[in-house]
Amino acid sequence: MKTDRQRISRAGVARIAALALLWGSGFLWIKLALRGFNPVQIVFARLLLGFLVLTPIALSRGLRFPRQGRLWGHLFVAALVANAVPYLLFSLAEETIGSNVAGVLNATTPLWTLLLAFLVGVDRAVTAKKAAGFALGFLGVVVIFSPWESASEIASWGGIACLAAAASYGLGYVYMGRFLTGRGIPPILLSAAQLGAATVLLVPALPFTGLESPQWRLDAVVSLLVLGVLGTGAAYVLNYRIIDDEGPTAASVVTYLLPVVAVLLGWVVLREAVTTAIVAGIALVLTGVILTRQRSAPSLATTGGEPVATPPGNRAE
């Protein structure tokens, strides 16, 4: 497989597979964690755990958190639109829809990113391939909802919440590409800082629903720990390692694996139905993503994962 470095190493293939499993399984862990915790508790815990994983790693490398107030202002905005809001929306959505559908709709993130980049003037290059990609991608979303089979499904709260979360991720990528990247600050430090800021943003919500007594089920507790420690913490270290060793193009391969992982795990573990509409929707969405991924705006490239601090299209420092 050719990448930015001509050929991806075997170790790189293993890391890409591991990252796809970590991020793609996130929707399964959310579904399982909901058996014992409410959405606010899940989001607060995963953000805090991710922060506690990344911070010691950053500090052990001799890095120190930035002191500029303006930079922290941008970090809090990014934390809101790229972490707190989409994390909460996906957790709320999975109370009513399957983890497989959430995983597939998350794959629309690159489409939202490019659309928002165009609207704010960051990337105004519209080609026939990009236009076709947008059309195919959102046609895939319609196929997944299958409104001709159930008129109410297209307006389901869970599905709309997932699309809103993916759009929020896209906004986060655009915002970070404009205000946080290219400042000479190592991505892992910005990621730790952004997760810390997102954790702080969730604190005001705790008195309303976050203090409810959870059910300390083993499957829910383990799922929450995996989601926070591995999926929201360690995954970013792995992501930066892939970018550093293999280049951003190799890292972007994860985009195409996440929905497949989410659907397979939902089917195997939760017995969620794999319908013809879901399979066709995945194919259309991923085809649309492929067509829209042009190198004209590398700073906005995404993996379709969870944006923290630096879009994976930028080389890690």
Side-chain angles (χ1 to χ4, degrees):
M1 172 181 167
K2 293 185 177 181
T3 68
D4 309 75
R5 312 296 165 78
Q6 297 303 312
R7 284 192 177 278
I8 188 171
S9 65
R10 291 184 178 179
V13 171
R15 293 188 187 105
I16 289 172
L19 183 59
L21 181 61
L22 286 175
W23 271 342
S25 66
F27 305 98
L28 169 66
W29 302 127
I30 291 173
K31 195 73 171 179
L32 294 175
L34 283 168
R35 294 177 176 179
F37 304 91
N38 66 40
V40 172
Q41 291 169 340
I42 291 172
V43 175
F44 178 78
R46 70 180 293 195
L47 288 170
L48 180 60
L49 289 170
F51 171 75
L52 292 177
V53 169
L54 290 184
T55 298
I57 296 174
L59 296 179
S60 69
R61 297 180 181 180
L63 306 175
R64 294 296 178 265
F65 286 110
R67 297 182 178 180
Q68 305 96 315
R70 184 165 185 167
L71 180 59
W72 274 104
H74 289 311
L75 280 168
F76 269 94
V77 173
L80 178 66
V81 298
N83 301 111
V85 169
Y87 284 13
L88 188 56
L89 286 173
F90 272 119
S91 295
L92 288 168
E94 289 198 46
E95 290 184 313
T96 58
I97 68 171
S99 65
N100 54 358
V101 176
V104 173
L105 293 179
N106 176 73
T108 63
T109 295
L111 303 178
W112 290 110
T113 303
L114 290 175
L115 175 61
L116 291 168
F118 172 80
L119 293 177
V120 301
V122 175
D123 181 11
R124 287 294 176 86
V126 179
T127 64
K129 283 187 177 181
K130 281 189 178 182
F134 280 123
L136 282 177
F138 288 105
L139 175 60
V141 172
V142 174
V143 170
I144 292 166
F145 281 127
S146 301
W148 48 86
E149 294 181 5
S150 175
S152 61
E153 184 72 10
I154 191 67
S156 69
W157 154 247
I160 292 174
C162 287
L163 287 178
S168 190
Y169 276 151
L171 178 60
Y173 277 118
V174 173
Y175 188 89
M176 290 184 291
R178 188 164 186 175
F179 296 108
L180 288 175
T181 62
R183 295 174 178 264
I185 302 176
I188 193 168
L189 182 63
L190 285 174
S191 295
Q194 187 175 315
L195 287 176
T199 304
V200 172
L201 289 174
L202 256 290
V203 171
L206 291 177
F208 298 97
T209 59
L211 299 181
E212 294 178 358
S213 296
Q215 298 181 31
W216 298 99
R217 295 175 44 136
L218 180 60
D219 55 353
V221 173
V222 171
S223 297
L224 190 55
L225 289 174
V226 173
L227 182 65
V229 174
L230 299 180
T232 313
Y236 289 105
V237 179
L238 182 59
N239 184 49
Y240 297 138
R241 177 65 184 273
I242 294 171
I243 296 169
D244 193 51
D245 290 351
E246 312 294 342
T249 301
S252 71
V253 172
V254 177
T255 300
Y256 314 111
L257 300 178
L258 294 188
V260 177
V261 171
V263 169
L264 288 177
L265 288 178
W267 174 57
V268 172
V269 179
L270 300 175
R271 296 293 185 264
E272 293 174 341
V274 181
T275 65
T276 302
I278 290 178
V279 175
I282 291 177
L284 288 170
V285 168
L286 294 185
T287 301
V289 170
I290 292 171
L291 291 175
T292 58
R293 293 182 73 84
Q294 303 291 322
R295 298 188 66 85
S296 58
S299 64
L300 296 177
T302 75
T303 63
E306 300 165 356
V308 177
T310 302
N314 291 332
R315 180 175 173 73
E317 298 179 62

